[in-house]
C-alpha cells in the first residue's frame, strides 16, 4: 500500500493526483422518499415495500417533505446556494434491483450548488469546493446465493432517500480524501440528517481520480472507483489507484477511462467496465412530480434552527479554551465528544489537561472496548474530580493513569478509589528522604558513577525510589531530595 509519505513524494515529484468524491448519504427519515414505507434497517426481506416503491404501473410518487428539509439543511451547512427552483429527473437503466426501470434523481436543476467545507490536514485548514448536492431514491439489493443457483432481490432499500454530495476535483492526496469524507460524516451527524453508519451503507463513496504531470492544468484521464465503504478503504484504494496510473504513464501507456472496483481483500482496484460500456441514462424531467420552489422563508427558518457546526465549534474551542488546531479539530469531530469535553471543563477541569486526557487515555479505552463516547461509563465530572486530586497533590500524574483506568472500569469516583487503594501521594519529606537514603546506600557504586559524571543515572535513582514507594512519592520532592543528596 502506498504511504502518505509516498503520496506526498508523488505529488511533489513529476505527477500530481486530482481527486473528486461523490458521497451518497442516506437521509435519516422514518419513511421513504416517495411513499410511506419504513426505512428501518435490518427488517425481513421485502417487508417494507408497497406498490409505489416496487414500481407497479399507475402509481404516483409523493415527495417526503422532511427529506427535502434535510437536504436543504445540508446545503446550508456546506455553504451552498439553495436553488429557488429545482426538479427531479428520471435516470433510466435496467437492473433487477430497480423494478421501476429508472431512478428518480436530479440532473440539470439540483437542489444545492456551489458550496464548500473545510478540512484540517497536517494542522493546515484546506477549503474543498462542493459542486452540487442532489436528492435521489435508492435501488434495492440483489443477494446472490453462495455456491447456489439462485439470486434474490430485497426491495426494502428501494425508494430510501439519498443525497449525493459531489465535490470539486480539488483533493490532492488519499489522506485529504479520507479527511474530507470524515468531515462530511461529521457535519451530517451534527445536523442529525444521516447516521453516518458506513457498515450499514448509510454513507458510501465513489471517487474520480486521475493523475497529471505537475504544472499541467488539463486533467488526465480519470478512473471512477467504487465500493469504498470505510475511511481506510478510501485512503488505500486511492493510494493504489494513483500509483497504478503513474506507473501506466511512466511506461508510456494510456490510462483508460473506466469504472474500477476496490477489492479490499486483495488490496487492489479492478476494471469493472470501460467507457464504451458506460450507461447512457437518458435523463428527462420526472413527469410525475411537480418542480420544487423553495421560498426564502423556508431556508431562513431551517437556517435559524441549525446547531453549532464543527467548523464554528473548532474555532470557538481554539479561542475560548486556547486549544491548538489539532486538539480543537479532534474534539469537535463528533458532537458527543465536544459535549463531553465542555462538561468536563465546566466542572473545573483545566482545558488543555482535559483535552490531553481525552485524546490519550479516554480515546484509548473507548477504542479498546469498542464503545462510543455516548456509552462511556466514565462521566466528565469524574475526570474533572481526578484532575483536582493531581492539582492539589493528592495523587501523582503517574498514579492517575491507574486511577483513570479503575474509574473507567468500576464507575467509582477517583477520591473513593484513592482512599480504598491507599494511593495517596507521599508528600512527607521525611518519608521520601528515608526511601532515597535506602536506595542510595543500596546502589553505592552507581552513586560513585553519577558523581564522576554519569548524570543520566539520575533517572535510574528516581525509578528506584518510585518503585520503593509504589509510585506514590511526590515527584517534585523526590527530585529535589535526590539532587541535594547526590551533589
Ligand atoms: Zn413503499
Amino acid at each position: 500500500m502506498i504511504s502518505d509519505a509516498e503520496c506526498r513524494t508523488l505529488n511533489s515529484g513529476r505527477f500530481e493526483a486530482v481527486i473528486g468524491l461523490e458521497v451518497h448519504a442516506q437521509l435519516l427519515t422514518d419513511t421513504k422518499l416517495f411513499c410511506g414505507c419504513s426505512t428501518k434497517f435490518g427488517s425481513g426481506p421485502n417487508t417494507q415495500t408497497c406498490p409505489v416503491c416496487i414500481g407497479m404501473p399507475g402509481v404516483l410518487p409523493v415527495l417526503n417533505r422532511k427529506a427535502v428539509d434535510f437536504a436543504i439543511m445540508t446545503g446550508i451547512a456546506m455553504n451552498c446556494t439553495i436553488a429557488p427552483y429545482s426538479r427531479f429527473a428520471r435516470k433510466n437503466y435496467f437492473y433487477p434491483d430497480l423494478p421501476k426501470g429508472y431512478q428518480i434523481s436530479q440532473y440539470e436543476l439540483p437542489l444545492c450548488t456551489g458550496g464548500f467545507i473545510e478540512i484540517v490536514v497536517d494542522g493546515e485548514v484546506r477549503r474543498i469546493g462542493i459542486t452540487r448536492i442532489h436528492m435521489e431514491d435508492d435501488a434495492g439489493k440483489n443477494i446472490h446465493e453462495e455456491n447456489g443457483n439462485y439470486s434474490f432481490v430485497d426491495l426494502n432499500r428501494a425508494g430510501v432517500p439519498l443525497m449525493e454530495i459531489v465535490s470539486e476535483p480539488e483533493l490532492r492526496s488519499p489522506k485529504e480524501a479520507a479527511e474530507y469524507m470524515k468531515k462530511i460524516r461529521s457535519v451530517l451527524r451534527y445536523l442529525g440528517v444521516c447516521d453516518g453508519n458506513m457498515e450499514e451503507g448509510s454513507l458510501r463513496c465513489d471517487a474520480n481520480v486521475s493523475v497529471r504531470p505537475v504544472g499541467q492544468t488539463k486533467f488526465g484521464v480519470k478512473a471512477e472507483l467504487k465500493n469504498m465503504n470505510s475511511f481506510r478503504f478510501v485512503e488505500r484504494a486511492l493510494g493504489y489507484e494513483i500509483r497504478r496510473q503513474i506507473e501506466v504513464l511512466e511506461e508510456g501507456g494510456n490510462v483508460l477511462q473506466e469504472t474500477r472496483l476496490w477489492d479490499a481483500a486483495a488490496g487492489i482496484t479492478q476494471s469493472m467496465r470501460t467507457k464504451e460500456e458506460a450507461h447512457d441514462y437518458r435523463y428527462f424531467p420526472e413527469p410525475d412530480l411537480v418542480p420544487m420552489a423553495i421560498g426564502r422563508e423556508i431556508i431562513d427558518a431551517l437556517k435559524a434552527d441549525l446547531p453549532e457546526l464543527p467548523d464554528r465549534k473548532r474555532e470557538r474551542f481554539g479561542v475560548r479554551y486556547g486549544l491548538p488546531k489539532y486538539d480543537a479539530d479532534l474534539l469537535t469531530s463528533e458532537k458527543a465528544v465536544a459535549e463531553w469535553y465542555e462538561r468536563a471543563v465546566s466542572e473545573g477541569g483545566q482545558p488543555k489537561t482535559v483535552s490531553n486526557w481525552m485524546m490519550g487515555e479516554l480515546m484509548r479505552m473507548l477504542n479498546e472496548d469498542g464503545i462510543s463516547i455516548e456509552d462511556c461509563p466514565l462521566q466528565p465530572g469524574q475526570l474533572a474530580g481526578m484532575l483536582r486530586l493531581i492539582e492539589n497533590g493528592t495523587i501523582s500524574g503517574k498514579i492517575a493513569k491507574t486511577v483513570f483506568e479503575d474509574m473507567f472500569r468500576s464507575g467509582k469516583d477517583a477520591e473513593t478509589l484513592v482512599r480504598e487503594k491507599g494511593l495517596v501521594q507521599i508528600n512527607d519529606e521525611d518519608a521520601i528522604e528515608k526511601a532515597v537514603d535506602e536506595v542510595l546506600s543500596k546502589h553505592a557504586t552507581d552513586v560513585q558513577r553519577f558523581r564522576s559524571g554519569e548524570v543520566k543515572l539520575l533517572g535510574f535513582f528516581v525509578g528506584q525510589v518510585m518503585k520503593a514507594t509504589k509510585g506514590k512519592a511526590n515527584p517534585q520532592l523526590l527530585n529535589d531530595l535526590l539532587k541535594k543528596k547526590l551533589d
Side-chain angles (χ1 to χ4, degrees):
M1 179 205 162
I2 200 159
S3 71
D4 288 337
E6 275 179 289
C7 274
R8 271 195 292 278
T9 321
L10 295 178
N11 288 354
S12 62
R14 287 184 54 213
F15 293 96
E16 69 172 356
V18 176
I19 304 164
L21 291 191
E22 289 168 11
V23 176
H24 285 92
Q26 181 181 331
L27 292 165
L28 205 53
T29 54
D30 295 331
T31 54
K32 293 185 180 181
L33 190 52
F34 300 115
C35 63
C37 292
S38 168
T39 54
K40 195 166 156 278
F41 182 82
S43 307
N46 298 307
T47 53
Q48 292 166 183
T49 55
C50 73
V52 174
C53 56
I54 62 174
M56 288 292 167
V59 297
L60 286 172
V62 177
L63 180 57
N64 183 332
R65 169 68 191 264
K66 193 157 189 186
V68 179
D69 284 351
F70 281 178
I72 295 173
M73 284 162 67
T74 308
I76 298 169
M78 296 185 182
N79 310 291
C80 293
T81 304
I82 312 300
Y85 180 85
S86 66
R87 70 177 168 211
F88 285 95
R90 276 193 194 178
K91 180 180 181 179
N92 300 281
Y93 63 96
F94 172 77
Y95 207 64
D97 64 10
L98 188 73
K100 297 198 299 294
Y102 58 87
Q103 216 182 340
I104 301 181
S105 183
Q106 295 194 283
Y107 189 56
E108 86 290 15
L109 291 171
L111 187 59
C112 318
T113 53
F116 66 87
I117 61 166
E118 288 180 349
I119 56 172
V120 177
V121 182
D122 301 325
E124 295 284 318
V125 177
R126 280 259 286 132
R127 186 172 278 197
I128 307 297
I130 304 280
T131 314
R132 57 188 275 156
I133 301 174
H134 69 247
M135 304 177 72
E136 60 187 24
D137 63 350
D138 204 355
K141 195 178 169 195
N142 291 331
I143 301 151
H144 307 290
E145 196 186 53
E146 218 170 307
N147 308 320
N149 301 314
Y150 297 98
S151 285
F152 302 92
V153 184
D154 178 5
L155 296 174
N156 283 352
R157 278 202 79 94
V160 160
L162 301 178
M163 227 174 4
E164 184 173 328
I165 304 166
V166 182
S167 85
E168 288 290 315
E170 291 175 348
L171 297 156
R172 290 291 174 270
S173 73
K175 191 177 175 186
E176 278 188 11
E179 286 305 321
Y180 168 86
M181 181 86 183
K182 283 180 195 167
K183 190 53 173 286
I184 295 267
R185 180 174 184 273
S186 166
V187 172
L188 298 180
R189 281 174 53 86
Y190 262 78
L191 293 170
V193 301
C194 171
D195 64 17
N197 190 327
M198 297 176 87
E199 275 142 50
E200 291 176 5
S202 307
L203 196 66
R204 294 169 274 167
C205 158
D206 300 337
N208 286 306
V209 54
S210 62
V211 296
R212 64 183 173 192
V214 170
Q216 178 182 306
T217 46
K218 201 173 151 253
F219 292 136
V221 177
K222 70 182 178 187
E224 187 183 10
L225 299 188
K226 292 211 172 262
N227 199 26
M228 299 177 292
N229 59 354
S230 82
F231 301 126
R232 219 168 74 84
F233 287 173
V234 168
E235 209 167 335
R236 288 181 65 202
L238 284 167
Y240 174 87
E241 182 60 19
I242 290 166
R243 191 163 56 180
R244 185 191 72 82
Q245 291 187 14
I246 288 176
E247 275 169 13
V248 168
L249 294 177
E250 278 182 335
E251 283 163 15
N254 291 316
V255 173
L256 297 176
Q257 184 171 339
E258 60 186 348
T259 303
R260 298 179 70 88
L261 212 58
W262 168 242
D263 180 341
I268 57 170
T269 63
Q270 279 175 316
S271 183
M272 197 169 102
R273 57 171 179 258
T274 57
K275 194 188 173 188
E276 286 71 39
E277 302 160 77
H279 298 294
D280 176 356
Y281 294 116
R282 306 244 166 176
Y283 282 98
F284 62 82
E286 170 58 52
D288 288 342
L289 288 160
V290 292
M292 286 186 283
I294 313 285
R296 193 68 240 173
E297 67 288 353
I298 293 175
I299 299 170
D300 289 343
L302 290 170
K303 200 173 190 170
D305 280 347
L306 286 194
E308 183 183 41
L309 293 165
D311 285 350
R312 176 77 62 80
K313 213 185 266 293
R314 185 187 72 222
E315 267 156 40
R316 182 168 65 78
F317 273 33
V319 174
R320 181 152 172 195
Y321 303 118
L323 294 177
K325 271 204 185 68
Y326 179 82
D327 294 44
D329 191 49
L330 214 89
L331 292 172
T332 54
S333 62
E334 286 279 337
K335 200 176 180 180
V337 172
E339 281 167 0
W340 207 99
Y341 173 80
E342 292 210 279
R343 273 177 55 203
V345 172
S346 75
E347 302 218 24
Q350 207 275 322
K352 178 59 181 153
T353 316
V354 172
S355 165
N356 291 346
W357 279 90
M358 283 185 70
M359 295 194 305
E361 297 302 299
L362 183 64
M363 294 300 172
R364 184 179 64 80
M365 306 267 314
L366 290 172
N367 276 341
E368 261 176 36
D369 289 15
I371 51 177
S372 68
I373 197 136
E374 284 98 332
D375 304 320
C376 181
L378 184 74
Q379 297 306 309
Q382 292 180 297
L383 173 62
M386 188 195 79
L387 297 180
R388 263 196 299 280
L389 296 184
I390 305 177
E391 270 167 40
N392 66 22
T394 308
I395 54 170
S396 65
K398 194 168 171 326
I399 290 285
K401 293 213 171 176
T402 323
V403 174
F404 184 87
E405 197 157 337
D406 285 349
M407 283 199 300
F408 191 93
R409 296 268 170 255
S410 68
K412 291 181 183 171
D413 287 344
E415 228 165 300
T416 313
L417 287 167
V418 167
R419 202 173 48 239
E420 279 177 7
K421 301 197 169 182
L423 297 171
V424 176
Q425 179 165 261
I426 304 171
N427 291 315
D428 173 3
E429 205 164 320
D430 293 342
I432 299 174
E433 189 171 4
K434 191 164 156 270
V436 169
D437 286 341
E438 272 167 26
V439 164
L440 295 185
S441 67
K442 203 166 135 196
H443 299 281
T445 29
D446 295 309
V447 174
Q448 289 274 300
R449 285 168 59 201
F450 179 87
R451 289 193 172 128
S452 55
E454 282 188 58
V455 289
K456 65 172 195 297
L457 279 168
L458 184 67
F460 167 75
F461 295 128
V462 172
Q464 289 299 311
V465 180
M466 274 298 185
K467 206 169 146 191
T469 58
K470 298 195 173 69
K472 291 187 282 185
N474 179 316
Q476 192 56 47
L477 279 176
L478 163 57
N479 266 296
D480 293 347
L481 277 166
L482 256 179
K483 280 184 190 150
K484 209 164 82 190
K485 299 250 168 191
L486 285 166
D487 272 347

